[in-house]
Amino acid sequence: MTKKLLALFLCILMLVSLAAGCAKPSSEVPEKTKAPESPEAPEVPEEPEEMVYTTLYASEVSTLNYLTTGTQWDQYVGANVIDTLVEYDNFGQLKPGLAESWEVSDDQLTWTFHLREGVKWYDYQGNEVAEVTADDFVAAAKYVMTPEYESSTFYQMEIIKNATEYYDPESPVKDFSEVGVKAIDKYTLQYTLVAPTPYFLSCLTYVCFMPAYGPQLEELGADFATDNEKMYYCGAYILSTFEPQVEHIYTKNENNWDADNVFITKIHRRYNAESATLAPVMVLRGEIDYADIDTSIVDDWLNNHPELLSKDRAIPDYSYFYCFNFNPTYDEEWDPENWKIAVNNENFRKSIMSGFDRLYAMRAIDPNDPESVLQNTIAPKGFASVNGVDFSSLEPFKGVEENYFNEAKALEYKAKAIEELTAAGATFPVKMVLTYRSDDDDWENEYIYLKQQLEALLGTDYIECILNPGTTDNFLTNTRRAGKYSFMRCNWGADFQDPSTWTDPFAPKFDSEAGKYTGNSYNFMDINLNEDNQNETTAVLKEYYALVDAAKAETADMAARYNAFAKAERFLIDHAVVVPYFIYPASYVATKLNAFEGQFASFGVSILRYKGQKVYDHYITPEEYEANYEQWLANIGG
Amino acid sequence: MALYRKKAEKLQDSINESILKRMPDSEAFSFAGFDEQEVERSGYSNYSYWRSTLHMFLKNKVAVFLTLIVFLILLFTFIQPYLPNQIDPFLVNNDPKTGLPFRNVKPNDVFWLGTNSIGQDLWANLWSGTRTSLFIGISVACIEAFVGIVVGVLWGYVRKLDFLLTELYNVMDNIPTTIVLILVSYILKPGIYTIILALCLQGWIGMALFIRNQIIIIRDREYNLASRCLGTRTYKIIQKNLIPYLISVIMLRMALTIPAAIGSEVFITYIGLGLPATIPSLGNLINVGRQLMMSPDLRYQLIYPTIILSIVTVSFYVIGNAFSDAADPKNHI
Amino acid sequence: MLKYISKRLLRSFLTLFIIMSITFILMRQMPIEGYFQNYDKLSEAQIQNGIRMLGLDKPMPVQLFNFYKNLLKGDLGMSLRYRNNVPVTEILAPKIPVSVRLGVMAILLALILGLPLGTLMARYKGKLPDHLGTAFIVFIQAVPAAVYYLFLQLYGTELLGLGLLFDPDKWTAWILPVFSMSLGNIAYYAMWLRRFMVDQSTKDYVQLAKIKGVSGSKLMFRHIFRNAFVPMVQYLPATFLNTVIGSIYIESLYSIPGMGGLLVDVIKKQDNTMVQGIVLLFATVGVIGLVLGDLLMVVLDPRISFGAKRGNR
């Protein structure tokens, strides 16, 4: 009997709790949903020309803290809500930003900036907080240089005097006033550098040189920018709503110094993890203003909705190139020792380089127009120019294209390589491990193309390509940096506008404690400089590093400097140590924006800005895109 | 029915014979010791559990037909590569005129199911993928069933183990599968065996719990009490009294585990921990196809793997149910 | 009975403790590179400092002790990667009600539709309702959820004239997500209930009841349904948890801010504190669900006993 009663009681309890669980949240609905919208409603003035831009995003930012984040995705926020001292226009020309003017000392070491007066900080509701002063730049720099905050972009500030020393806890420099960032007065900011840095202005467009309201930084410390309420805004937009994995709403800052050039009044970004599949559908239904059209569905769109399809800008901020790994660490089953013998033979490398049909492989990523993004140099076209000549077209690069795809030459090199490698004790076929990120379908397809094309040309008795899917998370750390590949597509982004940035991935890494080279994290070629590992590559490397050192020493004459770097790079390509590939193709998109109206640069965060862009009343057609592109090219050339 | 009655009468006769006829009256009321041979004799009948099960199963025409289909599909995945005019699933087919890949070609007489976005033959990929997925499914079902039954029976029957195993279940069931999956994929290379291991690592405990619950329900039923009173050994009770009773449920569960494992593979691929696309599988094919659902021109790439997956799933579902009906001794009468 | 319950609950705490400790230790087997956004651009000093800040430099028992010490104070810590420096509880708080609401509605709908369907199928075994029901179950089982969810979303929203994504302001926006999520459970409930009811209907007591002249529907509901429902009851609380975790597809498709994909997300990001917080939450629900399931089973079926009081050998 008691059991029956208990049973009844339990059943009722369960039902009640279920009902309560259901009823309680639903009563919250109206309050909950209204809450985030109420603050922005009164704030946007009722203007007739409200311009709203709606889009989806698939991956949430990991932080709003623009002073610490090193990922481009997070930097979208900082780029749009904080202004920089200088910025780029849509043709890539530097122009004043928060700094109205600047001068540099004769020794090229001291840069003085005169700030724009009357620029204010606003909170997320648009209330004025304080004025932006030189102290805010100093406070932000101090924040970046404080090890506890783990800024990923600190390395960009090492050009500043005493920055490295201040950062190092064991160094005697403890007082921030010794560091080369100073507020001379309220509107005068001074940077002192370690060495003459002709490209310093371009560095200023990066997040670590952005200002932050000093007293707030002081107060919040590590909590700074953990929420949109915990930061102040001085840029074109204010992040008025930030609900992670729900939505971001950017509202135009009407009081921005350059508000006249900010046209979109509200940016509404909605989270959707499946946006790759859903965004194109939403564009067809007119629900959003922008969608990436994935390579896999481009064909369908070209057939059925060609009028909606345009392209993004291709931006030379990252250059892609294939690296040969000189110190493979993968499993014995793939015979890394045999690869080591092969890769140190120049004819072997050249047989791969000239046997590799780059345009064919690139069709995995851009099936229709791969030629436009093909690169014959590591420093991509349009990165920098001297005396009106693009870096990639300088004298030393004349004839560089002869290194690339040529079937007859490839077979010649192959014959020579077989002879030399047999003598050196290598076995055939040589196993070549191609590593990629397992969730990157395009990349995988590229390797499938590469494998089939190369094996067909050179023969499976000579080379065997092995596709090796790497982890999705911490991919670079687990694969490239760990040396788990033999031939791999790598990339490097410019940190500033100077060709020396393109020698950084190949710079030797010397461990002074062990007294030997441990290998750069790209192709590990410098291990061949070690006493116990001398081979025919050693001489090539010694000459290359000498060329780079000579180029770096040239700081007065820009033309000479650029030519010297070009010479070094050409040397590396001629010896088939690295195979230049492409800049990532402009993706197919359906958009109501004219991509060419946005700020343009090959580094920094300017390209992430919505400032200057307009939402048109229709999706840009291919014809309009072509016209916009032509016009932009004409402007950039003139 | 008549057969059964006959059997019962025979049994009765034999018991009567042994008790009444061969024993003097004085012995009839004294305690008899446990005699293995006598037990065997009394337990004998010409009733064969498996023969009856098969007999019942064959009566279900749909199930027999689907069994044939599954068998044929399984067989075909192995012989398909050796048929004439087959294309290597990995081969990128180039247009001889332009030298460029045949991308997204609709089904025609060369590419029977068309090609994918990089010019690989979908027909070949489909069968290669089906082979992989079926292998995963069947392996997982067998491993789970074996481990699950052994542990589950012990768990349900041996009370001393109950606390330990219940605790183990609570712990294992509550450690998120994703953590296990990710850790397994850190330790091992992504591949077929990693997936099988990852799916089995926690799957068997579900099967074990299921068996244990069934056993708890029937453990103390009268006929088991009777067996115990008669001094029958535990393993024998499990083998003769419990397992036949459980076969129906076990078969159903196993039959459902196969499509479930294939489904899990689709899910694991979805969260980005699945097989690399260099190993074709139904999960990979469907995941690629899913993104093309809204593109009418490309939809064919989703349809065929989904059809195969559906046939396999439906077949196992129906076979499992039919077999479980057939395996229930109650239905044998 | 009360003694049994309190004993079970006490044991549940032990279970929770083991789960949390194992999860804690497992998460710390992940490579340290995963804790930093761009590991190669950080200096050795920064990495060492980061590891110290994360408390990873201390020996494992100390880390574990600190975790439990903070847990007793109700402090789950700050998120490390998912949302840097935001308290875990603050991140979870708005997401839990969404998931609970979605899960409860989906399960209720599944029970409301699934149980009658299963009963109907068992009652008319081999007849039209059984065939129709089987066709439905087979379809749901056969077509991958990833495919039919997307299909329902694309065509359902068009049919109902809704936006593609979830809109919390409109109650109609709940229809498709809840319906999609319940489909799997409807099929599951109907299938197992039919199976168990068919199994029960061959039992002797049913034969007896039939001979006694108990009417068809009374027999179905009073006798067969009740006995068939017993083995299913135990899973009810657990299905709730599975529904919530399994809502990853639905939540990603409709942009519903629930917990579905959160766990996968934070594990991949190696956000230890978040993982601990979510695992603690899920494990608590799971363990309580198990106790509840067992209790319901004992309560509903007088023949089952868990205590060692009766029937011990």
Side-chain angles (χ1 to χ4, degrees):
Chain A
M1 196 59 207
T2 43
K3 234 183 169 184
K4 258 197 173 157
L5 272 175
L6 194 75
L8 199 70
F9 173 71
L10 266 176
C11 283
I12 292 170
L13 193 76
M14 232 185 120
L15 273 174
V16 168
S17 64
L18 276 177
C22 194
K24 207 175 123 207
S26 40
S27 66
E28 278 172 16
V29 179
E31 295 162 62
K32 242 197 103 206
T33 48
K34 267 181 196 154
E37 279 176 20
S38 49
E40 43 142 353
E43 194 204 357
V44 184
E46 284 297 311
E47 274 183 66
E49 60 231 62
E50 173 133 320
M51 194 182 269
V52 183
Y53 177 67
T54 314
T55 173
L56 299 186
Y57 68 99
S59 139
E60 187 52 80
V61 298
S62 55
T63 174
L64 299 177
N65 191 339
Y66 52 91
L67 294 178
T68 58
T69 183
T71 53
Q72 198 181 44
W73 190 239
D74 296 345
Q75 292 167 356
Y76 255 99
V77 182
N80 281 295
V81 301
I82 305 290
D83 276 341
T84 41
L85 284 171
V86 291
E87 59 186 50
Y88 287 89
D89 67 8
N90 59 332
F91 303 117
Q93 297 301 315
L94 262 178
K95 63 187 190 88
L98 289 179
E100 275 182 317
S101 63
W102 54 87
E103 59 258 7
V104 57
S105 65
D106 291 338
D107 60 0
Q108 300 265 325
L109 289 178
T110 309
W111 294 71
T112 310
F113 294 87
H114 304 286
L115 301 189
R116 199 175 289 277
E117 293 182 21
V119 177
K120 301 279 172 31
W121 289 107
Y122 300 90
D123 70 5
Y124 75 107
Q125 290 173 312
N127 303 316
E128 192 179 307
V129 177
E131 191 165 11
V132 178
T133 65
D135 289 320
D136 296 332
F137 287 88
V138 178
K142 188 178 174 186
Y143 190 92
V144 175
M145 291 180 201
T146 306
E148 284 82 65
Y149 300 136
E150 287 178 58
S151 175
S152 307
T153 52
F154 163 73
Y155 73 101
Q156 289 269 50
M157 294 201 114
E158 285 173 339
I159 49 171
I160 292 173
K161 193 183 133 200
N162 275 336
T164 320
E165 289 76 7
Y166 180 78
Y167 193 83
D168 181 0
E170 274 142 43
S171 139
V173 179
K174 279 284 144 283
D175 191 353
F176 194 73
S177 61
E178 290 178 54
V179 180
V181 190
K182 279 191 184 61
I184 304 299
D185 61 41
K186 206 172 166 190
Y187 301 112
T188 313
L189 177 68
Q190 197 174 66
Y191 287 102
T192 314
L193 307 183
V194 177
T197 311
Y199 50 83
F200 180 61
L201 283 179
S202 70
C203 299
L204 296 174
T205 60
Y206 204 51
V207 280
C208 54
F209 286 95
M210 283 178 169
Y213 185 54
Q216 190 186 35
L217 270 187
E218 192 73 29
E219 182 200 332
L220 293 175
D223 278 342
F224 172 69
T226 45
D227 203 343
N228 66 329
E229 298 169 25
K230 289 186 178 162
M231 61 191 288
Y232 293 136
Y233 307 89
C234 67
Y237 291 95
I238 287 167
L239 185 57
S240 50
T241 302
F242 173 66
E243 273 194 74
Q245 298 204 332
V246 180
E247 61 182 358
H248 303 169
I249 296 174
Y250 294 81
T251 313
K252 180 183 171 183
N253 181 359
E254 296 292 344
N255 301 311
N256 183 259
W257 63 274
D258 203 14
D260 290 346
N261 289 317
V262 180
F263 305 107
I264 303 174
T265 52
K266 184 176 154 188
I267 301 164
H268 187 181
R269 296 164 76 90
R270 287 199 69 178
Y271 174 76
N272 189 285
E274 292 261 358
S275 67
T277 313
L278 296 181
V281 183
M282 293 182 76
V283 161
L284 291 178
R285 295 187 187 178
E287 290 185 52
I288 51 172
D289 302 318
Y290 175 93
D292 283 307
I293 307 300
D294 198 74
T295 327
S296 59
I297 58 167
V298 157
D299 282 3
D300 178 71
W301 274 64
L302 282 170
N303 284 337
N304 298 322
H305 322 285
E307 74 287 354
L308 301 178
L309 201 58
S310 62
K311 275 186 159 191
D312 216 341
R313 283 182 305 189
I315 295 191
D317 59 342
Y318 276 93
S319 177
Y320 288 76
F321 43 85
Y322 272 82
C323 281
F324 287 100
N325 183 4
F326 289 83
N327 190 23
T329 57
Y330 42 76
D331 293 350
E332 283 304 315
E333 58 169 321
W334 294 327
D335 208 350
E337 285 309 312
N338 194 45
W339 170 261
K340 237 175 172 169
I341 300 173
V343 78
N344 279 306
N345 179 296
E346 191 164 316
N347 281 319
F348 174 79
R349 292 198 307 269
K350 282 187 166 174
S351 70
I352 305 287
M353 189 167 177
S354 50
F356 174 22
D357 186 350
R358 295 179 301 161
L359 281 175
Y360 181 77
M362 279 163 68
R363 286 188 187 271
I365 290 157
D366 187 346
N368 300 305
D369 186 22
E371 289 89 349
S372 62
V373 287
L374 183 73
Q375 299 293 328
N376 289 333
T377 52
I378 301 167
K381 273 178 245 156
F383 159 72
S385 58
V386 65
N387 299 336
V389 183
D390 193 89
F391 179 75
S392 67
S393 312
L394 288 173
E395 178 61 28
F397 285 122
K398 288 266 149 43
V400 70
E401 60 277 359
E402 283 164 26
N403 285 302
Y404 304 117
F405 184 53
N406 183 323
E407 297 198 349
K409 266 193 189 168
L411 293 174
E412 268 173 46
Y413 287 128
K414 175 192 163 185
K416 281 188 213 158
I418 290 180
E419 200 174 303
E420 289 167 14
L421 286 177
T422 315
T427 51
F428 291 97
V430 176
K431 291 193 170 90
M432 184 159 89
V433 179
L434 304 164
T435 307
Y436 63 98
R437 225 180 108 117
S438 54
D439 66 341
D440 189 336
D441 298 341
D442 287 351
W443 195 350
E444 179 173 80
N445 294 340
E446 180 182 321
Y447 279 173
I448 291 174
Y449 283 170
L450 163 63
K451 173 185 164 76
Q452 187 170 328
Q453 184 262 327
L454 209 58
E455 286 182 353
L457 174 63
L458 298 175
T460 44
D461 52 347
Y462 177 67
I463 188 128
E464 183 193 346
C465 298
I466 295 154
L467 267 63
N468 176 31
T471 54
T472 322
D473 301 283
N474 309 310
F475 167 73
L476 287 179
T477 309
N478 293 336
T479 55
R480 194 199 74 210
R481 286 168 206 151
K484 301 224 184 291
Y485 74 96
S486 27
F487 193 54
M488 178 175 170
R489 192 185 82 191
C490 304
N491 63 333
W492 175 256
D495 286 333
F496 39 79
Q497 192 168 26
D498 184 77
S500 67
T501 191
W502 299 104
T503 64
D504 286 347
F506 309 108
K509 196 171 158 194
F510 190 76
D511 184 345
S512 46
E513 272 176 39
K516 59 192 277 188
Y517 290 93
T518 52
N520 65 53
S521 65
Y522 272 76
N523 61 4
F524 303 89
M525 62 182 188
D526 46 317
I527 64 148
N528 292 312
L529 295 175
N530 287 326
E531 291 299 321
D532 54 352
N533 199 27
Q534 303 267 334
N535 52 41
E536 59 174 296
T537 316
T538 312
V540 175
L541 293 181
K542 278 186 175 156
E543 197 173 342
Y544 168 70
Y545 288 130
L547 285 170
V548 171
D549 288 342
K552 280 185 175 166
E554 180 64 69
T555 56
D557 180 355
M558 275 300 117
R561 180 181 171 92
Y562 277 41
N563 270 295
F565 274 112
K567 202 173 152 196
E569 191 178 312
R570 175 69 191 266
F571 182 82
L572 206 58
I573 297 169
D574 280 352
H575 289 274
V577 173
V578 59
V579 185
Y581 192 52
F582 69 5
I583 57 166
Y584 214 86
S587 51
Y588 282 96
V589 293
T591 179
K592 289 186 180 172
L593 300 180
N594 172 3
F596 300 103
E597 288 176 345
Q599 298 188 353
F600 181 79
S602 47
F603 42 78
V605 296
S606 297
I607 47 163
L608 307 176
R609 288 188 166 133
Y610 285 103
K611 180 174 173 177
Q613 306 208 52
K614 298 184 199 82
V615 182
Y616 291 84
D617 61 351
H618 61 276
Y619 298 100
I620 304 295
T621 65
E623 294 76 27
E624 284 171 323
Y625 172 81
E626 280 306 320
N628 291 337
Y629 185 43
E630 291 300 324
Q631 199 191 350
W632 181 75
L633 276 182
N635 270 307
I636 210 169
Chain B
M1 211 56 164
L3 187 78
Y4 177 75
R5 208 174 290 138
K6 230 184 204 166
K7 267 190 246 166
E9 277 165 14
K10 238 188 200 165
L11 192 69
Q12 193 76 45
D13 286 349
S14 75
I15 294 170
N16 285 345
E17 209 174 329
S18 60
I19 295 177
L20 298 175
K21 296 204 177 139
R22 293 207 343 228
M23 266 185 263
D25 280 0
S26 58
E27 281 179 31
F29 300 100
S30 65
F31 286 101
F34 177 69
D35 184 345
E36 183 99 28
Q37 274 182 339
E38 289 297 306
V39 171
E40 288 298 330
R41 257 167 55 80
S42 69
Y44 172 80
S45 89
N46 69 350
Y47 162 77
S48 160
Y49 173 73
W50 289 106
R51 203 188 303 136
S52 307
T53 304
L54 189 69
H55 181 73
M56 287 297 288
F57 183 74
L58 288 176
K59 274 190 191 164
N60 190 333
K61 292 286 177 293
V62 180
V64 173
F65 173 71
L66 288 174
T67 313
L68 210 66
I69 294 263
V70 168
F71 184 71
L72 284 179
I73 288 180
L74 195 60
L75 193 72
F76 194 73
T77 58
F78 286 101
I79 58 169
Q80 180 268 335
Y82 305 104
L83 297 175
N85 292 329
Q86 298 300 314
I87 302 164
D88 179 354
F90 296 108
L91 181 75
V92 174
N93 297 284
N94 287 328
D95 187 339
K97 272 178 265 163
T98 58
L100 298 177
F102 271 125
R103 303 175 53 251
N104 295 324
V105 176
K106 286 198 176 175
N108 59 28
D109 49 356
V110 182
F111 307 112
W112 296 345
L113 297 184
T115 62
N116 64 10
S117 67
I118 57 165
Q120 292 170 328
D121 182 36
L122 276 179
W123 167 261
N125 263 289
L126 180 66
W127 291 109
S128 176
T130 309
R131 184 167 55 228
T132 316
S133 289
L134 277 176
F135 178 70
I136 293 175
I138 294 172
S139 309
V140 170
C142 291
I143 298 172
E144 273 187 21
F146 179 74
V147 182
I149 291 169
V150 173
V151 178
V153 166
L154 290 174
W155 185 359
Y157 210 80
V158 185
R159 278 173 195 266
K160 278 174 201 149
L161 285 174
D162 190 52
F163 175 77
L164 198 75
L165 282 167
T166 308
E167 207 54 39
L168 185 73
Y169 172 80
N170 290 351
V171 170
M172 286 201 54
D173 197 52
N174 281 295
I175 292 178
T177 319
T178 331
I179 296 190
V180 179
L181 279 177
I182 292 179
L183 266 175
V184 169
S185 68
Y186 262 122
I187 300 160
L188 305 163
K189 262 193 238 146
I192 297 176
Y193 295 103
T194 311
I195 292 251
I196 293 178
L197 180 75
L199 288 176
C200 290
L201 220 51
Q202 284 186 297
W204 66 270
I205 198 116
M207 179 67 132
L209 179 79
F210 197 83
I211 301 288
R212 170 250 189 187
N213 287 340
Q214 292 296 320
I215 289 203
I216 284 180
I217 292 173
I218 55 178
R219 182 180 58 191
D220 294 336
R221 291 281 158 83
E222 289 73 7
Y223 61 91
N224 286 321
L225 283 173
S227 286
R228 253 182 264 150
C229 290
L230 288 172
T232 317
R233 305 217 169 113
T234 304
Y235 84 92
K236 194 144 193 180
I237 294 184
I238 291 173
Q239 192 197 342
K240 291 267 172 182
N241 291 9
L242 298 184
I243 291 284
Y245 193 89
L246 292 175
I247 285 285
S248 67
V249 199
I250 291 172
M251 287 316 288
L252 182 58
R253 234 192 123 88
M254 260 183 89
L256 293 179
T257 303
I258 296 173
I262 298 174
S264 300
E265 198 250 330
V266 178
F267 178 74
I268 293 170
T269 313
Y270 175 81
I271 61 171
L273 297 171
L275 292 173
T278 41
I279 306 173
S281 73
L282 289 178
N284 275 331
L285 290 170
I286 286 174
N287 231 32
V288 170
R290 223 171 67 84
Q291 290 156 21
L292 311 173
M293 187 188 266
M294 274 321 279
S295 308
D297 284 4
L298 305 173
R299 210 172 276 163
Y300 66 90
Q301 297 185 23
L302 171 67
I303 290 173
Y304 299 110
T306 310
I307 288 177
I308 289 286
L309 182 68
S310 304
I311 292 177
V312 170
T313 314
V314 170
S315 303
F316 276 108
Y317 172 80
V318 175
I319 295 168
N321 267 310
F323 194 83
S324 121
D325 280 346
D328 189 346
K330 285 268 164 71
N331 290 333
H332 289 182
I333 319 160
Chain C
M1 203 64 190
L2 272 174
K3 203 175 152 196
Y4 173 70
I5 295 172
S6 55
K7 227 168 116 185
R8 273 303 298 264
L9 283 176
L10 212 69
R11 252 168 63 181
S12 301
F13 271 108
L14 181 72
T15 312
L16 271 182
F17 176 77
I18 299 172
I19 293 168
M20 287 318 294
S21 305
I22 291 181
T23 311
F24 191 93
I25 293 164
L26 281 184
M27 281 310 288
R28 272 147 190 83
Q29 306 306 312
M30 302 266 200
I32 56 157
E33 291 87 345
Y35 295 112
F36 302 95
Q37 277 175 19
N38 42 351
Y39 184 74
D40 67 328
K41 296 207 167 170
L42 296 178
S43 64
E44 189 55 35
Q46 259 180 317
I47 290 163
Q48 287 310 321
N49 184 51
I51 290 172
R52 203 166 43 246
M53 298 275 286
L54 294 168
L56 292 172
D57 55 332
K58 299 192 186 79
M60 186 71 75
V62 178
Q63 290 186 40
L64 203 58
F65 176 75
N66 284 342
F67 166 67
Y68 283 116
K69 207 173 73 188
N70 289 330
L71 191 64
L72 284 178
K73 286 187 234 154
D75 178 11
L76 281 172
M78 305 282 189
S79 165
L80 306 171
R81 304 279 315 276
Y82 180 74
R83 280 184 70 195
N84 207 354
N85 270 331
V86 179
V88 171
T89 40
E90 201 176 292
I91 296 175
L92 294 183
K95 291 180 182 288
I96 294 172
V98 178
S99 276
V100 168
R101 208 177 335 155
L102 200 64
V104 167
M105 286 207 279
I107 290 213
L108 280 182
L109 190 65
L111 284 173
I112 290 169
L113 297 178
L115 295 184
L117 182 65
T119 316
L120 213 66
M121 286 169 70
R123 174 139 191 216
Y124 298 99
K125 191 188 166 211
K127 299 210 181 78
L128 187 69
D130 191 24
H131 292 316
L132 285 179
T134 308
F136 165 75
I137 292 169
V138 162
F139 179 83
I140 293 300
Q141 293 267 339
V143 182
V147 174
Y148 74 74
Y149 282 169
L150 190 60
F151 186 85
L152 270 175
Q153 184 186 23
L154 294 175
Y155 295 99
T157 48
E158 215 169 0
L159 203 72
L160 297 174
L162 294 168
L164 204 60
L165 304 186
F166 180 73
D167 179 354
D169 290 340
K170 286 195 197 127
W171 68 267
T172 44
W174 286 98
I175 299 175
L176 285 170
V178 170
F179 180 66
S180 307
M181 261 173 78
S182 65
L183 278 176
N185 279 334
I186 293 175
Y188 182 84
Y189 290 148
M191 180 177 83
W192 284 108
L193 188 65
R194 179 195 174 275
R195 172 89 253 135
F196 289 134
M197 283 183 82
V198 169
D199 283 353
Q200 291 292 327
S201 58
T202 58
K203 292 265 158 69
D204 297 337
Y205 75 91
V206 177
Q207 305 287 346
L208 181 71
K210 271 187 192 160
I211 294 163
K212 268 170 65 185
V214 179
S215 76
S217 58
K218 199 178 171 195
L219 179 73
M220 226 43 196
F221 294 108
R222 284 285 303 269
H223 297 271
I224 300 178
F225 179 81
R226 197 178 150 185
N227 274 300
F229 195 54
V230 169
M232 291 181 63
V233 158
Q234 201 189 15
Y235 297 109
L236 267 181
T239 29
F240 171 70
L241 191 66
N242 283 333
T243 310
V244 169
I245 298 175
S247 63
I248 173 168
Y249 280 126
I250 289 294
E251 289 184 1
S252 349
L253 281 173
Y254 288 90
S255 295
I256 298 174
M259 317 243 320
L262 197 59
L263 185 62
V264 178
D265 229 32
V266 292
I267 294 175
K268 283 174 145 191
K269 287 202 169 89
Q270 285 185 227
D271 191 333
N272 289 349
T273 43
M274 280 293 285
V275 174
Q276 282 147 213
I278 299 172
V279 170
L280 181 69
L281 183 75
F282 283 174
T284 312
V285 177
V287 168
I288 292 175
L290 207 74
V291 177
L292 239 129
D294 277 355
L295 279 181
L296 276 173
M297 210 161 131
V298 176
V299 161
L300 287 181
D301 190 340
R303 284 167 301 183
I304 304 167
S305 67
F306 282 91
K309 293 161 287 186
R310 290 184 294 129
N312 203 356
R313 328 188 34 191

